[in-house]
Amino acid sequence: MHALFVGGTIDNSELDLDGAEPPARYPPDSGSGQSRYHLHAVGRRDDEIVYAVYGGPDIAHEDVQRVSEEREYARRFEATETIVG
């Protein structure tokens, strides 16, 4: 699955994640006291999660959703996006 980032220092970046479920925060266990990205949405195709949208620590949920729609993640991955939380 792909992790897609909105806001923060790695805005508009993506990376591959292992596993069937995305972590609620990225990085999952930093231990550095550094602010982490929060999971805002997942994109599913059939029964598989194909992407996870993470928002920066200071980005409002509505802004993450707006940017996700503008970047057309659901269309790009041919998936249905579901809001998390």
Side-chain angles (χ1 to χ4, degrees):
M1 109 186 59
H2 295 280
L4 308 165
F5 298 93
V6 175
T9 58
I10 57 175
D11 181 47
N12 205 19
S13 296
E14 63 182 80
L15 58 89
D16 290 331
L17 291 177
D18 292 327
E21 293 289 325
R25 290 181 173 58
Y26 189 86
D29 297 308
S30 68
S32 68
Q34 155 188 351
S35 296
R36 299 184 289 174
Y37 284 74
H38 299 274
L39 180 64
H40 285 264
V42 295
R44 295 179 189 273
R45 186 179 326 120
D46 300 320
D47 291 332
E48 177 185 13
I49 296 176
V50 292
Y51 70 85
V53 179
Y54 289 91
D58 298 325
I59 306 295
H61 178 73
E62 294 78 18
D63 292 334
V64 174
Q65 287 309 117
R66 179 184 51 77
V67 171
S68 178
E69 290 172 11
E70 288 173 359
R71 293 179 182 169
E72 297 184 325
Y73 293 144
R75 183 187 61 76
R76 177 179 162 203
F77 290 96
E78 299 176 351
T80 301
E81 189 166 286
T82 304
I83 307 302
V84 176

